[in-house]
Amino acid sequence: MTYETTAVPPSDAEPNPSAPAAEVPLPAPDTADQPAAESDLPSAPAEIVLPEELTEAAQALFGDRLELASAYAQLLATDGVLRGLIGPREAPRIWDRHLLNCAAVAEVIPPEATVLDVGSGAGLPGLVLAIARPDLNVVLIEPLARRTSFLLEAVQQLGLARTVRVVRGRAEEAAAGTTNAGVITGDIVTARAVAPLDRLAGWALPLLVRGGRVLALKGATAADEVAEHTAAVERLGGSAPVVHRCGVGVIDPPTTVVEFVRERIVHPPGARPAKKSRANRRGAPGRNRR
Protein backbone atom coordinates (compact mmCIF):
# COMPACT_ATOMS: atom_id res chain seq x y z
CA MET A 1 0.00 0.00 0.00
CA THR A 2 1.41 3.38 -0.98
CA TYR A 3 0.51 7.01 -0.65
CA GLU A 4 1.39 10.01 -2.75
CA THR A 5 2.68 13.26 -1.28
CA THR A 6 2.24 16.70 -2.82
CA ALA A 7 4.05 19.73 -1.45
CA VAL A 8 2.00 22.91 -1.79
CA PRO A 9 3.88 26.23 -1.83
CA PRO A 10 2.82 28.71 0.85
CA SER A 11 0.67 31.65 -0.12
CA ASP A 12 0.97 35.28 0.90
CA ALA A 13 -2.66 35.25 1.95
CA GLU A 14 -3.14 35.98 5.62
CA PRO A 15 -5.73 34.08 7.69
CA ASN A 16 -8.78 35.94 8.88
CA PRO A 17 -7.99 37.02 12.47
CA SER A 18 -11.66 37.49 13.22
CA ALA A 19 -12.53 33.87 12.50
CA PRO A 20 -14.41 32.42 15.50
CA ALA A 21 -12.42 30.04 17.66
CA ALA A 22 -15.28 27.68 18.32
CA GLU A 23 -14.89 24.01 17.52
CA VAL A 24 -16.94 23.03 14.47
CA PRO A 25 -18.72 19.69 14.98
CA LEU A 26 -18.71 16.91 12.42
CA PRO A 27 -21.58 16.98 9.94
CA ALA A 28 -24.86 15.86 11.46
CA PRO A 29 -28.51 16.70 10.99
CA ASP A 30 -28.39 18.97 14.05
CA THR A 31 -25.74 20.31 16.44
CA ALA A 32 -27.80 20.64 19.58
CA ASP A 33 -26.68 18.60 22.56
CA GLN A 34 -30.16 17.19 23.00
CA PRO A 35 -31.75 14.11 21.38
CA ALA A 36 -34.53 14.74 18.88
CA ALA A 37 -38.12 14.00 19.78
CA GLU A 38 -39.01 10.37 19.17
CA SER A 39 -41.53 11.32 16.46
CA ASP A 40 -38.82 13.23 14.56
CA LEU A 41 -36.27 10.45 14.53
CA PRO A 42 -35.53 8.85 11.14
CA SER A 43 -35.97 5.14 10.72
CA ALA A 44 -32.71 3.19 10.49
CA PRO A 45 -32.08 0.46 7.92
CA ALA A 46 -32.38 -3.08 9.21
CA GLU A 47 -28.92 -4.14 8.05
CA ILE A 48 -25.90 -2.62 6.34
CA VAL A 49 -24.22 -5.11 4.01
CA LEU A 50 -20.71 -4.62 2.70
CA PRO A 51 -21.11 -4.07 -1.06
CA GLU A 52 -19.47 -6.82 -3.09
CA GLU A 53 -17.41 -4.34 -5.09
CA LEU A 54 -15.86 -2.99 -1.87
CA THR A 55 -15.04 -6.36 -0.30
CA GLU A 56 -11.46 -6.53 -1.58
CA ALA A 57 -10.66 -3.02 -0.33
CA ALA A 58 -12.29 -3.68 3.05
CA GLN A 59 -10.29 -6.89 3.50
CA ALA A 60 -7.08 -5.08 2.59
CA LEU A 61 -7.72 -2.29 5.12
CA PHE A 62 -9.24 -4.26 8.00
CA GLY A 63 -7.77 -7.75 7.59
CA ASP A 64 -9.00 -10.13 10.28
CA ARG A 65 -10.85 -7.23 11.96
CA LEU A 66 -13.35 -6.93 9.09
CA GLU A 67 -16.12 -8.51 11.16
CA LEU A 68 -15.55 -5.89 13.86
CA ALA A 69 -15.68 -3.15 11.23
CA SER A 70 -19.00 -4.58 10.02
CA ALA A 71 -20.38 -4.41 13.56
CA TYR A 72 -19.39 -0.75 13.76
CA ALA A 73 -20.98 -0.05 10.37
CA GLN A 74 -24.22 -1.54 11.65
CA LEU A 75 -23.99 0.54 14.82
CA LEU A 76 -23.54 3.73 12.79
CA ALA A 77 -26.47 2.88 10.53
CA THR A 78 -28.81 2.17 13.44
CA ASP A 79 -27.99 4.01 16.68
CA GLY A 80 -25.87 6.56 14.82
CA VAL A 81 -28.79 7.54 12.61
CA LEU A 82 -31.39 7.42 15.39
CA ARG A 83 -29.26 9.71 17.58
CA GLY A 84 -28.61 12.16 14.79
CA LEU A 85 -24.89 11.46 14.49
CA ILE A 86 -25.12 10.18 10.93
CA GLY A 87 -27.60 11.54 8.42
CA PRO A 88 -30.11 8.93 7.19
CA ARG A 89 -28.93 9.46 3.60
CA GLU A 90 -25.40 8.52 4.68
CA ALA A 91 -26.38 5.03 5.87
CA PRO A 92 -26.13 3.35 2.45
CA ARG A 93 -22.70 4.98 1.93
CA ILE A 94 -21.17 4.11 5.29
CA TRP A 95 -18.61 1.70 3.88
CA ASP A 96 -17.15 3.74 1.03
CA ARG A 97 -17.71 7.29 2.26
CA HIS A 98 -16.83 6.72 5.91
CA LEU A 99 -15.19 3.45 6.98
CA LEU A 100 -12.86 2.84 4.04
CA ASN A 101 -12.11 6.54 3.68
CA CYS A 102 -10.98 6.70 7.32
CA ALA A 103 -9.21 3.33 7.44
CA ALA A 104 -6.89 4.32 4.59
CA VAL A 105 -5.23 6.88 6.87
CA ALA A 106 -3.77 4.08 8.99
CA GLU A 107 -0.96 3.61 6.46
CA VAL A 108 0.73 6.88 7.52
CA ILE A 109 0.51 6.23 11.29
CA PRO A 110 3.54 4.57 12.92
CA PRO A 111 3.23 1.43 15.07
CA GLU A 112 1.96 1.75 18.65
CA ALA A 113 1.31 5.48 18.32
CA THR A 114 -1.02 7.43 20.59
CA VAL A 115 -3.72 8.94 18.38
CA LEU A 116 -5.94 11.79 19.57
CA ASP A 117 -9.11 12.15 17.50
CA VAL A 118 -10.34 15.75 17.84
CA GLY A 119 -14.06 16.43 17.36
CA SER A 120 -14.59 12.69 17.11
CA GLY A 121 -18.38 12.86 16.66
CA ALA A 122 -19.50 9.34 15.80
CA GLY A 123 -15.91 8.04 15.97
CA LEU A 124 -14.69 9.04 12.53
CA PRO A 125 -11.83 8.48 12.01
CA GLY A 126 -10.78 7.53 15.57
CA LEU A 127 -12.85 4.38 16.08
CA VAL A 128 -12.17 3.20 12.53
CA LEU A 129 -8.42 3.50 13.12
CA ALA A 130 -8.73 1.65 16.44
CA ILE A 131 -10.51 -1.20 14.62
CA ALA A 132 -8.05 -1.34 11.73
CA ARG A 133 -4.96 -0.95 13.94
CA PRO A 134 -5.21 -2.71 17.32
CA ASP A 135 -1.63 -1.60 18.11
CA LEU A 136 -2.74 2.04 18.42
CA ASN A 137 -3.82 3.79 21.61
CA VAL A 138 -6.73 6.03 20.63
CA VAL A 139 -8.32 8.88 22.57
CA LEU A 140 -11.65 10.17 21.25
CA ILE A 141 -12.07 13.85 22.22
CA GLU A 142 -15.61 15.17 21.80
CA PRO A 143 -17.36 18.08 23.58
CA LEU A 144 -21.04 17.09 23.16
CA ALA A 145 -22.62 14.77 25.72
CA ARG A 146 -24.93 13.11 23.19
CA ARG A 147 -21.96 12.09 21.10
CA THR A 148 -19.71 11.02 23.95
CA SER A 149 -22.52 8.77 25.21
CA PHE A 150 -22.65 7.07 21.82
CA LEU A 151 -18.86 6.71 21.74
CA LEU A 152 -18.72 5.19 25.22
CA GLU A 153 -21.37 2.64 24.31
CA ALA A 154 -19.71 1.86 20.98
CA VAL A 155 -16.33 1.26 22.63
CA GLN A 156 -17.92 -1.19 25.06
CA GLN A 157 -20.04 -3.01 22.48
CA LEU A 158 -17.09 -3.40 20.11
CA GLY A 159 -14.76 -4.62 22.86
CA LEU A 160 -12.26 -1.79 22.37
CA ALA A 161 -11.99 -0.55 25.95
CA ARG A 162 -8.40 -1.77 26.27
CA THR A 163 -7.08 0.53 23.54
CA VAL A 164 -9.68 3.31 23.27
CA ARG A 165 -10.86 5.90 25.77
CA VAL A 166 -13.39 8.69 25.42
CA VAL A 167 -12.82 12.18 26.81
CA ARG A 168 -15.60 14.76 26.89
CA GLY A 169 -14.23 18.21 26.21
CA ARG A 170 -12.80 20.52 23.60
CA ALA A 171 -9.31 20.17 22.24
CA GLU A 172 -8.21 23.32 24.07
CA GLU A 173 -9.43 21.87 27.38
CA ALA A 174 -7.71 18.54 26.75
CA ALA A 175 -4.41 20.32 26.07
CA ALA A 176 -4.78 22.51 29.15
CA GLY A 177 -5.72 19.61 31.43
CA THR A 178 -9.10 21.04 32.37
CA THR A 179 -11.08 17.90 31.48
CA ASN A 180 -11.46 15.07 33.97
CA ALA A 181 -8.68 13.23 32.11
CA GLY A 182 -5.93 15.73 32.93
CA VAL A 183 -3.39 16.92 30.37
CA ILE A 184 -3.56 14.85 27.18
CA THR A 185 -0.75 14.59 24.65
CA GLY A 186 -0.11 12.25 21.75
CA ASP A 187 1.96 11.38 18.71
CA ILE A 188 -0.81 11.94 16.16
CA VAL A 189 -3.87 14.19 16.09
CA THR A 190 -6.60 13.27 13.60
CA ALA A 191 -9.54 15.42 12.56
CA ARG A 192 -12.27 14.98 9.97
CA ALA A 193 -14.52 17.86 8.90
CA VAL A 194 -13.71 19.82 12.06
CA ALA A 195 -12.37 23.23 11.01
CA PRO A 196 -10.15 25.10 8.52
CA LEU A 197 -6.43 24.48 8.95
CA ASP A 198 -5.67 27.76 10.73
CA ARG A 199 -8.13 27.08 13.54
CA LEU A 200 -7.40 23.36 13.59
CA ALA A 201 -3.68 24.05 14.03
CA GLY A 202 -4.43 26.23 17.07
CA TRP A 203 -6.34 23.41 18.72
CA ALA A 204 -4.32 20.40 17.58
CA LEU A 205 -0.67 21.45 17.87
CA PRO A 206 -0.75 21.93 21.69
CA LEU A 207 -1.94 18.32 22.01
CA LEU A 208 1.16 16.94 20.31
CA VAL A 209 4.59 16.05 21.55
CA ARG A 210 7.31 17.88 19.64
CA GLY A 211 7.67 16.09 16.33
CA GLY A 212 4.06 14.84 16.51
CA ARG A 213 1.85 15.17 13.44
CA VAL A 214 -1.60 16.45 12.59
CA LEU A 215 -3.49 14.37 10.01
CA ALA A 216 -6.53 16.30 8.79
CA LEU A 217 -8.90 14.46 6.46
CA LYS A 218 -9.95 16.93 3.79
CA GLY A 219 -11.82 17.09 0.50
CA ALA A 220 -11.10 18.22 -3.03
CA THR A 221 -10.16 21.76 -1.99
CA ALA A 222 -7.33 20.64 0.32
CA ALA A 223 -4.59 22.21 -1.80
CA ASP A 224 -6.38 25.57 -1.82
CA GLU A 225 -6.81 25.42 1.94
CA VAL A 226 -3.13 24.61 2.43
CA ALA A 227 -2.09 27.55 0.26
CA GLU A 228 -4.38 29.87 2.22
CA HIS A 229 -3.42 28.80 5.74
CA THR A 230 0.24 27.74 5.56
CA ALA A 231 1.44 31.01 7.11
CA ALA A 232 -0.97 30.63 10.05
CA VAL A 233 0.08 27.03 10.71
CA GLU A 234 3.77 28.01 10.72
CA ARG A 235 3.13 30.93 13.12
CA LEU A 236 1.55 28.44 15.52
CA GLY A 237 4.65 26.23 15.52
CA GLY A 238 3.75 23.82 12.75
CA SER A 239 5.63 22.85 9.61
CA ALA A 240 4.42 23.79 6.15
CA PRO A 241 1.45 21.48 5.47
CA VAL A 242 1.62 18.88 2.70
CA VAL A 243 -1.13 16.91 1.01
CA HIS A 244 -1.12 13.09 1.00
CA ARG A 245 -3.36 10.72 -0.89
CA CYS A 246 -3.85 7.58 1.19
CA GLY A 247 -5.11 4.26 -0.06
CA VAL A 248 -3.87 4.72 -3.62
CA GLY A 249 -4.67 1.56 -5.57
CA VAL A 250 -6.96 0.30 -2.80
CA ILE A 251 -9.89 2.74 -2.70
CA ASP A 252 -11.23 5.08 -5.35
CA PRO A 253 -10.99 7.94 -4.79
CA PRO A 254 -8.07 7.85 -2.33
CA THR A 255 -8.38 9.71 0.97
CA THR A 256 -6.99 13.25 0.95
CA VAL A 257 -5.03 14.05 4.10
CA VAL A 258 -3.26 17.27 5.04
CA GLU A 259 -0.28 16.69 7.32
CA PHE A 260 1.84 19.10 9.36
CA VAL A 261 4.31 18.57 12.19
CA ARG A 262 4.68 20.32 15.54
CA GLU A 263 8.18 21.73 15.12
CA ARG A 264 8.30 24.14 18.03
CA ILE A 265 6.27 25.25 21.04
CA VAL A 266 4.54 28.58 20.60
CA HIS A 267 3.00 30.22 23.65
CA PRO A 268 -0.31 32.05 23.18
CA PRO A 269 -0.09 35.86 22.91
CA GLY A 270 0.40 37.40 26.33
CA ALA A 271 1.47 34.13 27.93
CA ARG A 272 4.80 34.14 29.74
CA PRO A 273 6.91 31.17 30.75
CA ALA A 274 6.90 30.48 34.48
CA LYS A 275 9.68 32.33 36.27
CA LYS A 276 12.26 30.44 38.23
CA SER A 277 12.16 30.87 41.95
CA ARG A 278 14.65 33.32 43.35
CA ALA A 279 16.58 30.55 45.07
CA ASN A 280 17.03 28.72 41.78
CA ARG A 281 18.31 31.66 39.78
CA ARG A 282 21.92 31.41 38.83
CA GLY A 283 24.07 33.27 41.25
CA ALA A 284 21.32 33.87 43.78
CA PRO A 285 22.01 32.54 47.27
CA GLY A 286 19.78 29.62 48.16
CA ARG A 287 18.03 29.32 51.46
CA ASN A 288 20.34 26.49 52.59
CA ARG A 289 23.45 27.75 50.81
CA ARG A 290 26.38 28.52 53.14
Side-chain angles (χ1 to χ4, degrees):
M1 193 180 303
T2 60
Y3 67 88
E4 300 176 0
T5 304
T6 305
V8 181
S11 160
D12 294 332
E14 290 293 328
N16 179 7
S18 62
E23 195 158 0
V24 180
L26 291 172
D30 66 90
T31 56
D33 193 15
Q34 295 292 333
E38 186 172 350
S39 59
D40 297 332
L41 292 173
S43 58
E47 185 177 1
I48 290 294
V49 178
L50 173 62
E52 184 176 352
E53 65 273 17
L54 300 177
T55 300
E56 185 176 351
Q59 289 175 338
L61 293 172
F62 290 105
D64 60 4
R65 311 261 286 182
L66 182 55
E67 185 176 345
L68 188 60
S70 297
Y72 178 48
Q74 187 65 28
L75 194 58
L76 286 176
T78 51
D79 282 4
V81 171
L82 293 174
R83 297 187 186 194
L85 305 183
I86 293 289
R89 293 182 180 179
E90 293 299 303
R93 301 184 291 181
I94 279 177
W95 276 103
D96 58 341
R97 187 178 176 91
H98 298 292
L99 269 67
L100 300 184
N101 177 266
C102 292
V105 181
E107 69 184 48
V108 294
I109 299 178
E112 300 182 357
T114 296
V115 177
L116 312 181
D117 190 31
V118 170
S120 193
L124 303 167
L127 268 180
V128 177
L129 293 172
I131 293 170
R133 290 278 303 277
D135 62 301
L136 301 178
N137 292 300
V138 178
V139 183
L140 310 176
I141 302 173
E142 168 57 49
L144 297 184
R146 174 166 53 92
R147 295 175 179 177
T148 52
S149 294
F150 171 84
L151 292 173
L152 287 165
E153 293 171 19
V155 168
Q156 291 298 324
Q157 290 184 37
L158 298 172
L160 297 172
R162 187 178 62 84
T163 59
V164 180
R165 61 177 173 147
V166 179
V167 174
R168 184 184 176 191
R170 297 185 179 275
E172 308 95 308
E173 297 168 335
T178 56
T179 69
N180 59 6
V183 176
I184 299 173
T185 57
D187 308 300
I188 301 288
V189 168
T190 56
R192 185 175 192 246
V194 171
L197 290 178
D198 56 344
R199 280 187 278 157
L200 179 62
W203 301 329
L205 288 171
L207 288 166
L208 290 167
V209 298
R210 186 172 295 184
R213 296 180 291 144
V214 176
L215 301 175
L217 283 70
K218 293 289 182 179
T221 61
D224 294 334
E225 191 174 336
V226 165
E228 180 180 358
H229 296 303
T230 289
V233 173
E234 291 178 333
R235 280 199 302 271
L236 292 165
S239 65
V242 295
V243 178
H244 298 314
R245 294 178 24 174
C246 298
V248 175
V250 179
I251 59 174
D252 185 23
T255 305
T256 301
V257 177
V258 176
E259 175 186 3
F260 50 94
V261 179
R262 188 182 194 185
E263 294 186 332
R264 64 191 191 281
I265 297 174
V266 175
H267 295 286
R272 297 181 179 180
K275 293 182 178 180
K276 294 181 180 180
S277 67
R278 188 170 183 179
N280 290 332
R281 293 177 189 168
R282 186 174 181 181
R287 177 176 298 179
N288 296 323
R289 180 177 275 179
R290 296 183 183 275

